[in-house]
């Protein structure tokens, strides 16, 4: 099966900064792929190279089997990119912009009009087709960018932090729309700072850090490989945890809530010992909840930082 | 070739300047007509021109070509710079268009704007003085080549400029002086020998002089020389522009 995107030993340097250091991996066709990493990890550089917006120093990149340099027309024809910034052409209306973008990709006529109507409907932009973008809210502009990326019906869609700075309602709507695209057969590549977003949507994840791939796995494997689980205990009364038990505490709840969360190694730490220890420390147990590791836990574990 | 993509970009660039036609066409025509009225009256009889050609008739082709020069340059330079600063250039860079298709669409749109301004000025000029065309093919060739030169130069400026200030500097310190000092208002034969000789190193002089030849059948320099110099200049600036697009300088870092 052809990879939707094949990245082969790609390097990029900006002056003294090595943005990408020989990155190689494949994004399988039909996957919902999450590209994660802290700020400066090289995500945007990688996406820009795939899209042809930035030149790589070395390596090769293919989109649906087409080299992004030697067969750039076919590679770009297969790719739709939703840029991170809310950019727009101030001269044209939404519908005009969509026709122009379709035309760049060699598409025009009645079919294009039908598809544009469908996109405007799906993204709730029908009433705004004659509006210029400067008059729209940030959320609306984001939807237009998505419509522009999809107007030539690319099989591979890259969304570069599509939900950054949008409200919860729009975020949910965009999640719904991207899921629909994925179900219709599109390969989706998502970069995001919201790890719960990647966890909810993606089936395969790559974590980039300092221009290198730190992890590349199916989401379930990645989460399953995490050696810890979390136990949140609601306590009452006063007590003093012993030193070894205190070392297992991953977080405390709000002051006065009595919530303590322990991070337990799946093989080494036993939950019964923790419960006994809490009781012996003088606390009463009010409630116990178990939590499996989230993508954020895995991410922090691998990068030692925050998204 | 991505023919539909090329035509779409060309049409988009034309629509871009037509959406602000008051600023891109009407305004330069009015400015040129003011030049025509003021300089036509003030310099009438004071500047030596060709035999049998009134100063007003002499002035009109010069003003037409000066407008072509300034507007062709303005069209590409402002479009590229604005797209870069707004960030919407990304939509073009993502498209499956070759650098030559992008270059040709931008240049042709600018040529059309230049031709439109020149045509309007020509029509208004007839109100002042009849201006028959002696060599229409030569005139059209000069119009196209000159306009394309400045369009390519505008693209180069647009690529190099990081802000509108840079563009204004390019326009004020290069385009304006060279176009004004190229024989718009006078025949270089009326200049002292040194300045007349220096004018032959200004490519804008050949644009204006060759364009005038199309109207009157006479000019300061031979027609073939004007065509050759402007054609050569077009090849040079096109080569530089395509080179910049090929390397992705300031566009695809």
């Amino acid at each position: 099966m052809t990879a939707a995107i094949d990245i082969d030993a790609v390097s990029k340097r900006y002056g003294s900064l090595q943005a990408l250091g020989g990155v190689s991996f494949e994004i399988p066709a039909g996957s919902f792929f999450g590209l994660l990493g802290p700020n400066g990890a090289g995500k945007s550089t990688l996406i820009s190279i795939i899209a042809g917006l930035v030149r790589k120093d070395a390596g090769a990149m293919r989109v649906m089997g087409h080299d992004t340099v030697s067969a750039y027309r076919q590679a770009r024809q297969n790719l739709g990119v939703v840029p991170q910034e809310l950019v727009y052409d101030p001269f044209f209306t939404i519908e005009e912009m969509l026709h122009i973008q379709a035309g760049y990709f060699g598409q025009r006529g009645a079919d294009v009009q039908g598809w544009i109507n469908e996109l405007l409907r799906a993204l709730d932009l029908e009433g705004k087709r004659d509006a210029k973008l400067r008059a729209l809210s940030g959320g609306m502009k984001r939807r237009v960018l998505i419509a522009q990326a999809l107007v030539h019906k690319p099989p591979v869609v890259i969304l570069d932090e599509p939900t950054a700075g949008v409200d919860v309602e729009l975020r949910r709507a965009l999640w719904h729309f991207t899921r629909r695209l994925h179900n219709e057969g599109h390969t989706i590549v998502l970069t995001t700072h919201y790890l719960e977003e990647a966890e909810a949507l993606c089936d395969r994840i790559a974590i980039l850090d300092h221009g290198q791939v730190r992890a590349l796995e199916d989401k379930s494997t990645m989460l399953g490989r995490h050696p810890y689980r979390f136990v949140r205990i609601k306590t009452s009364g006063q007590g003093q945890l012993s030193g070894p038990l205190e070392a297992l505490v991953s977080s405390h709840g709000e002051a006065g809530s009595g919530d303590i969360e322990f991070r337990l190694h799946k093989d080494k730490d036993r939950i019964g010992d923790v419960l006994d220890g809490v009781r012996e420390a003088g606390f009463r147990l009010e409630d116990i909840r178990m939590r499996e590791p989230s993508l954020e836990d895995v991410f922090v574990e691998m990068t030692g930082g925050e998204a | 070739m991505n023919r539909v993509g090329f035509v779409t970009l060309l049409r988009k660039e034309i629509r871009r300047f037509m959406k602000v036609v008051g600023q891109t066409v009407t305004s330069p025509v009015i400015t040129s007509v003011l030049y025509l009225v003021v300089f036509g009256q003030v310099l009438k009889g004071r500047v030596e021109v060709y035999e049998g050609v009134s100063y007003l008739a002499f002035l009109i082709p010069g003003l037409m070509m000066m407008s072509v020069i300034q507007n062709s340059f303005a069209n590409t330079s402002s479009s590229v710079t604005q797209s870069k600063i707004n960030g919407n250039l990304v939509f073009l860079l993502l498209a499956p268009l070759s650098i030559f298709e992008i270059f040709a669409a931008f240049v042709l749109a600018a040529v059309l704007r230049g031709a439109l301004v020149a045509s309007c000025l020509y029509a208004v000029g007839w109100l002042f003085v009849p201006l028959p065309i002696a060599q229409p093919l030569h005139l059209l060739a000069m119009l196209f080549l000159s306009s394309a030169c400045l369009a390519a130069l505008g693209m180069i400026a647009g690529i190099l400029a990081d802000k509108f200030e840079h563009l204004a500097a390019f326009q004020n310190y290069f385009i304006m002086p060279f176009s004004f000092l190229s024989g718009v208002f006078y025949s270089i034969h009326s200049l002292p020998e040194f300045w007349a000789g220096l004018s032959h190193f200004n490519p804008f002089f050949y644009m204006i002089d060759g364009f005038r030849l199309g109207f009157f059948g006479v000019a300061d320099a031979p027609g073939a020389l004007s065509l050759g110099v402007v054609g050569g200049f077009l090849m040079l600036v096109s080569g530089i522009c395509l080179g910049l697009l090929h390397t992705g300088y300031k566009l695809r870092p």
Side-chain angles (χ1 to χ4, degrees):
Chain A
M1 186 173 169
T2 309
I5 298 175
D6 179 11
I7 299 159
D8 184 9
V10 170
S11 299
K12 178 69 184 177
R13 178 178 280 279
Y14 294 109
S16 60
L17 175 73
Q18 185 77 49
L20 292 173
V23 170
S24 297
F25 64 92
E26 284 187 0
I27 297 176
S31 62
F32 202 132
F33 194 92
L35 187 57
L36 310 180
N39 285 329
K43 306 184 297 290
S44 290
T45 301
L46 189 64
I47 280 176
S48 297
I49 293 175
I50 297 169
L53 300 175
V54 167
R55 284 159 190 262
K56 58 189 174 348
D57 296 334
M61 189 93 81
R62 285 169 286 275
V63 177
M64 299 301 281
H66 305 289
D67 189 273
T68 53
V69 177
S70 61
Y72 69 94
R73 286 194 204 266
Q74 293 90 331
R76 291 181 199 170
Q77 202 60 256
N78 280 285
L79 191 64
V81 179
V82 182
Q84 200 178 123
E85 287 81 22
L86 295 175
V87 291
Y88 59 90
D89 192 322
F91 285 90
F92 300 101
T93 65
I94 292 175
E95 191 169 5
E96 284 171 336
M97 273 313 306
L98 293 176
H99 276 287
I100 289 168
Q101 202 63 23
Y104 286 165
F105 286 84
Q107 298 182 8
R108 61 178 180 181
D111 281 357
V112 172
Q113 185 60 60
W115 176 233
I116 286 174
N117 291 343
E118 205 176 318
L119 279 174
L120 291 173
R121 213 169 17 252
L123 288 159
D124 205 12
L125 289 167
E126 251 184 329
K128 303 283 183 188
R129 62 170 66 219
D130 295 322
K132 287 192 176 167
L133 268 86
R134 68 157 65 109
L136 301 184
S137 66
M140 284 285 185
K141 287 189 183 109
R142 183 72 67 191
R143 291 173 199 223
V144 176
L145 287 177
I146 293 173
Q148 277 184 264
L150 297 175
V151 77
H152 61 287
K153 299 185 179 175
V156 184
V157 181
I158 295 178
L159 300 119
D160 193 2
E161 303 203 16
T163 53
V166 305
D167 60 32
V168 176
E169 192 185 346
L170 178 58
R171 186 178 303 172
R172 294 284 163 188
L174 291 178
W175 282 21
H176 176 76
F177 188 72
T178 47
R179 274 201 186 103
R180 187 185 136 187
L181 286 176
H182 183 235
N183 291 337
E184 287 170 359
H186 291 272
T187 303
I188 308 286
V189 182
L190 175 77
T191 77
T192 179
H193 274 276
Y194 302 110
L195 296 173
E196 74 275 17
E197 184 168 279
E199 191 170 341
L201 296 171
C202 300
D203 51 39
R204 194 164 169 79
I205 305 270
I207 295 179
L208 274 185
D209 192 22
H210 291 98
Q212 301 283 347
V213 180
R214 295 280 176 235
L216 174 68
E217 280 173 315
D218 285 344
K219 178 181 67 184
S220 52
T221 312
M222 187 177 278
L223 293 173
R225 197 193 290 272
H226 192 267
Y228 298 99
R229 61 193 159 158
F230 297 84
V231 182
R232 196 169 188 85
I233 302 173
K234 188 170 187 61
T235 64
S236 61
Q238 296 293 318
Q240 183 65 49
L241 294 175
S242 64
L245 206 53
E246 188 66 50
L248 296 177
V249 173
S250 58
S251 69
H252 287 276
E254 284 175 20
S257 69
D259 285 352
I260 310 169
E261 186 173 82
F262 295 90
R263 190 178 73 152
L264 307 183
H265 195 281
K266 282 175 180 167
D267 300 329
K268 295 176 189 161
D269 303 312
R270 293 178 54 197
I271 190 167
D273 295 343
V274 172
L275 296 178
D276 290 345
V278 172
R279 274 196 214 96
E280 284 163 16
F283 292 107
R284 270 187 58 161
L285 304 184
E286 300 290 343
D287 193 16
I288 302 171
R289 274 171 291 161
M290 295 290 292
R291 178 171 75 79
E292 287 303 308
S294 67
L295 200 52
E296 185 165 338
D297 299 315
V298 177
F299 185 88
V300 171
E301 192 76 23
M302 287 188 169
T303 63
E306 290 183 359
Chain B
M1 182 185 170
N2 180 356
R3 197 177 53 80
V4 175
F6 163 74
V7 172
T8 301
L9 179 57
L10 173 61
R11 287 182 59 188
K12 182 215 151 198
E13 284 301 303
I14 294 169
R15 285 166 73 190
R16 196 189 68 84
F17 76 73
M18 289 305 287
K19 279 188 181 247
V20 282
V21 72
Q23 183 190 329
T24 54
V25 178
T26 313
S27 168
V29 170
I30 290 172
T31 306
S32 296
V33 170
L34 287 174
Y35 279 131
L36 188 65
V37 171
V38 174
F39 287 95
Q41 288 305 315
V42 172
L43 297 177
K44 191 164 63 179
R46 293 178 190 232
V47 177
E48 185 193 327
V49 291
Y50 314 130
E51 214 176 299
V53 176
S54 72
Y55 181 66
L56 214 53
F58 172 86
L59 191 55
I60 291 170
L63 288 173
M64 283 170 70
M65 182 47 77
M66 191 173 80
S67 300
V68 167
I69 286 170
Q70 291 173 354
N71 285 283
S72 301
F73 177 85
N75 205 63
T76 44
S77 60
S78 64
S79 183
V80 173
T81 308
Q82 194 166 41
S83 303
K84 264 171 61 179
I85 291 171
N86 280 353
N88 59 290
L89 190 69
V90 72
F91 301 125
L92 185 59
L93 297 177
L94 289 169
L97 285 159
S98 70
I99 56 165
F100 189 76
E101 286 157 357
I102 292 173
F103 171 78
F106 270 87
V107 168
L108 274 181
V111 167
L112 282 172
R113 174 169 159 190
L116 187 59
V117 172
S119 305
C120 291
L121 199 51
Y122 181 62
V124 175
W126 268 91
L127 300 175
F128 293 86
V129 59
L131 201 63
I133 295 168
Q135 297 180 17
L137 281 181
H138 185 83
L139 183 134
L140 285 176
M142 288 308 301
L143 178 67
F144 177 80
L145 292 175
S146 308
S147 186
C149 270
L150 269 297
L153 212 52
M155 271 193 95
I156 294 170
I159 291 168
L160 299 180
D162 294 322
K163 45 188 175 179
F164 284 109
E165 257 175 45
H166 294 162
L167 211 55
F170 206 92
Q171 213 148 8
N172 294 332
Y173 298 119
F174 181 68
I175 302 297
M176 285 286 271
F178 274 85
S179 59
F180 268 90
L181 300 173
S182 54
V184 174
F185 300 100
Y186 52 83
S187 159
I188 61 162
H189 285 141
S190 60
L191 293 176
E193 199 177 328
F194 173 77
W195 293 107
L198 202 64
S199 296
H200 285 97
F201 293 96
N202 177 2
F204 292 7
F205 157 71
Y206 295 96
M207 295 176 189
I208 289 170
D209 196 62
F211 192 59
R212 258 194 199 114
L213 183 83
F215 282 95
F216 308 122
V218 288
D220 292 339
L225 179 64
S226 293
L227 277 176
V229 171
V230 178
F233 191 55
L234 175 59
M235 284 172 69
L236 176 71
V237 289
S238 299
I240 294 170
C241 187
L242 286 166
L244 288 173
L245 288 171
H246 179 71
T247 58
Y249 183 70
K250 289 202 174 186
L251 299 178
R252 299 183 201 266

